Amino acid sequence: MDNIILTQILVTPLVGALLIALLPDRRKLSAGVALTFALLTFFFTLHLPAHFDPSLPGFQFVQAIPWITSPAISYHVGVDGLSLWLVVLTGLLAPVGVLASWKTIKTRSKVFYALFLVQQTAMLGVFVSLDLMLYYGFWELSLVPMAILIAMYGRSNGPAAALRFFLYTFIPSAPLLVALLWLYAKTHSFDFATLRTAIVSGQFAAGPLYWAALAFLLAFAVKVPVLGLHGWLPDTFSEAPVAMAMVVAGKLGLYSLIRFHVGLFPEQARHAAPWLIALAAIGILYGACLALVQKDFWKLLAYGTMSSLSFCTLGIYGFTIAGLDGSVFQTLNEGVIGAALFVLLGVLYDRFGTSKIESYGGLAKKTPALATLFVITSLAMVGLPLLNGFVGEFLVLSSTFTGVSKGWAAAATVGVILSAAYMLTLVQKVFYGPLSNELTLDSGRDLDFREQLVVWPLVILMLVMGVAPNLWLPSIEAGLQQAAGYPAIRSLILSNPSSFHVVAQEIVRKGGQR
């Protein structure tokens, strides 16, 4: 099964989407089929951590099949510790998204659930592709269902938000494609390992290679988003259906930065690192400050997410193993915490029909289960010890303080304080204090069984990840050792012995940072 498990994971949502397309457009029928195939996909993803061996170098569960002869494109997939848990997280969020949409998607459910499953395949494909043209195909495919569903199900101005999202994320992909084709023209290969070895061994001119690295960086930074490229995020969070909003930011861009920017272009990434560290630290403060003054909880969540994801960028470009560990762990945290927050805020919006924070107040008495879960999730987001948010932020901040810059670490720490301010203010305004006059006419309903079934597993996972992070970190670190370029450094020594002194300095520096 190891030889075909990744193909099973990729194909299962597509089969579900095809089946939904062939069945009558009945809401519960489409939702039931989508839930079945989402659960089946998640079940398949659990095979990966159960059989993954962190002690083995390189990629595991590899499947490589020649696809197109000219240009040489292959169906080449595999996972390491970097992509392993992101695949599992994507599998977990699929049934969460279906259950969160169970009652809210009332029209054209057939289209919604079919495109939702296609989106899952696209995201999974991004994480497992080892052929860069295959990766690019999945990367572009992930934009289409998202844009269509935002346009169809936007709360007030869906088409405009969908167009902005599509343009922001599609236009930077054009330089990415040009860079991919240039790399292929020089090596006649789209294979990730082949390209990495060719780049590190000096087969490319320095000038064009910097432009290629910049094209990769721009495409990925928009998807994170990095400060200055975040214009699509607030409207997308405000308009996207809950099931789509929980997967739109962070994971794809951050994974791609580590795998294909740092992994393929280590020298160019290091030259860009001071700028990206500065943007990350400023982004932490900027996002937190904007979140603090928002009057709409969707936009508060958008800027809060941007602030939290900037911690991941800070950890990546600090180039310490602890920082990279924290960055990947924080990416997983944002997936879990963000999903829970989107579900809970979606419940509020569905119950009371508004996202204006000032319209709420005193809900803890009416909805104690909702208030309890919201408080726990908010505490995880602000990094309370024993919850998962603390581990990722601590690893990033400590590595930044000791190995990068005390000034930027201090600035990022202020961002942690501001995150506590805006999240606890949101909790206080929505659930405590005097009962809002706008809500007194509505008796309010607490979470039903289905909604609690969605959120409680995520809350339990927040606690487990906070108490026992070593269930995740060893395999993550093994993957990061590979992604950080150690095999490429060994190849450089063998192919260019005259550069040994430079490589030796790099190894000593990396060892010291670890």
Side-chain angles (χ1 to χ4, degrees):
M1 189 172 180
D2 286 355
N3 295 329
I4 61 170
I5 184 61
L6 293 180
T7 299
Q8 286 181 294
I9 291 171
L10 289 175
V11 169
T12 300
L14 281 182
V15 174
L18 179 61
L19 183 58
I20 291 172
L22 296 175
L23 291 174
D25 190 1
R26 297 174 183 169
R27 181 162 62 100
K28 290 186 178 180
L29 178 62
S30 299
V33 173
L35 180 61
T36 300
F37 280 88
L39 288 171
L40 191 58
T41 303
F42 178 51
F43 173 76
F44 286 145
T45 65
L46 294 178
H47 178 90
L48 302 181
H51 295 82
F52 183 81
D53 187 352
S55 64
L56 295 178
F59 295 95
Q60 300 179 37
F61 311 104
V62 174
Q63 189 173 7
I65 302 173
W67 183 15
I68 300 174
T69 304
S70 183
I73 302 174
S74 63
Y75 174 76
H76 188 189
V77 294
V79 297
D80 61 1
L82 172 58
S83 52
L84 168 70
W85 293 111
L86 290 169
V87 172
V88 177
L89 175 64
T90 304
L92 170 65
L93 295 184
V96 170
V98 174
L99 288 172
S101 308
W102 197 268
K103 290 184 178 180
T104 58
I105 302 300
K106 299 177 182 179
T107 60
R108 294 177 288 187
S109 57
K110 179 176 178 175
V111 175
F112 176 85
Y113 289 110
L115 289 177
F116 176 79
L117 292 177
V118 171
Q119 175 76 13
Q120 296 304 308
T121 291
M123 294 183 62
L124 292 165
V126 166
F127 295 135
V128 304
S129 295
L130 299 179
D131 181 284
L132 265 70
M133 189 52 67
L134 181 68
Y135 162 84
Y136 182 80
F138 283 121
W139 175 267
E140 292 295 274
L141 178 61
S142 69
L143 307 180
V144 178
M146 182 70 69
I148 293 174
L149 292 180
I150 292 173
M152 289 176 60
Y153 294 94
R155 297 181 179 91
S156 59
N157 196 13
L163 180 62
R164 175 174 292 191
F165 166 77
F166 186 80
L167 291 178
Y168 258 92
T169 51
F170 179 75
I171 291 175
S173 296
L176 173 62
L177 178 59
V178 173
L180 284 176
L181 295 176
W182 179 75
L183 292 173
Y184 177 81
K186 297 293 183 179
T187 61
H188 301 289
S189 176
F190 286 114
D191 180 70
F192 170 71
T194 301
L195 290 173
R196 181 169 60 182
T197 301
I199 291 171
V200 175
S201 62
Q203 296 183 24
F204 295 89
L209 195 60
Y210 273 100
W211 285 107
L214 181 61
F216 275 67
L217 174 60
L218 179 62
F220 305 150
V222 169
K223 206 64 177 286
V224 173
V226 171
L227 177 67
L229 301 172
H230 63 280
W232 59 272
L233 190 63
D235 287 344
T236 300
F237 271 38
S238 298
E239 299 294 333
V242 167
M244 306 304 289
M246 67 175 63
V247 301
V248 69
K251 294 179 285 297
L252 297 182
L254 291 166
Y255 165 80
S256 299
L257 283 175
I258 299 174
R259 173 75 76 210
F260 297 112
H261 186 238
V262 174
L264 277 181
F265 309 99
E267 181 181 351
Q268 292 73 21
R270 289 186 183 280
H271 288 173
W275 297 98
L276 289 164
I277 289 171
L279 287 174
I282 296 170
I284 292 170
L285 296 174
Y286 178 81
C289 289
L290 284 182
L292 194 59
V293 299
Q294 293 303 311
K295 298 181 179 180
D296 182 289
F297 57 57
W298 294 123
K299 292 188 177 180
L300 182 149
L301 184 56
Y303 289 113
T305 299
M306 174 189 162
S307 179
S308 297
L309 292 175
S310 294
F311 277 99
C312 302
T313 307
L314 183 63
I316 292 171
Y317 289 95
F319 286 101
T320 65
I321 291 297
L324 285 163
D325 285 346
S327 176
V328 176
F329 198 80
Q330 187 69 0
T331 304
L332 300 177
N333 293 341
E334 285 305 310
V336 175
I337 296 170
L341 282 176
F342 270 111
V343 172
L344 294 171
L345 291 176
V347 168
L348 287 176
Y349 186 85
D350 293 336
R351 294 283 198 277
F352 303 106
T354 180
S355 57
K356 299 298 181 184
I357 299 173
E358 62 187 13
S359 299
Y360 292 89
L363 279 182
K365 294 180 180 179
K366 290 187 172 184
T367 57
L370 175 60
T372 300
L373 291 172
F374 199 95
V375 168
I376 296 173
T377 305
S378 299
L379 293 175
M381 186 169 182
V382 303
L384 183 75
L386 297 183
L387 294 173
N388 58 346
F390 173 77
V391 178
E393 289 182 356
F394 176 78
L395 287 172
V396 171
L397 289 173
S398 61
S399 64
T400 302
F401 187 84
T402 57
V404 181
S405 166
K406 292 180 174 61
W408 289 130
T413 304
V414 174
V416 175
I417 298 172
L418 292 175
S419 70
Y422 65 73
M423 286 306 300
L424 296 180
T425 299
L426 177 65
V427 169
Q428 193 277 330
K429 288 184 176 180
V430 173
F431 292 101
Y432 300 98
L435 186 65
S436 169
N437 292 331
E438 297 183 34
L439 303 185
T440 53
L441 299 178
D442 193 310
S443 61
R445 289 183 293 111
D446 207 353
L447 296 178
D448 60 28
F449 175 77
R450 174 186 56 82
E451 292 160 344
Q452 295 200 47
L453 183 64
V454 173
V455 183
W456 270 114
L458 297 176
V459 169
I460 293 171
L461 187 57
M462 294 174 205
L463 179 61
V464 174
M465 292 177 72
V467 174
N470 281 337
L471 294 174
W472 287 264
L473 288 175
S475 55
I476 290 174
E477 182 166 333
L480 288 170
Q481 294 278 358
Q482 177 80 9
Y486 289 99
I489 289 174
R490 290 195 295 269
S491 299
L492 178 55
I493 293 173
L494 294 174
S495 64
N496 190 8
S498 64
S499 66
F500 175 76
H501 67 285
V502 177
V503 177
Q505 291 174 359
E506 180 71 2
I507 291 174
V508 169
R509 193 181 66 77
K510 284 190 175 183
Q513 285 182 341
R514 180 172 183 184

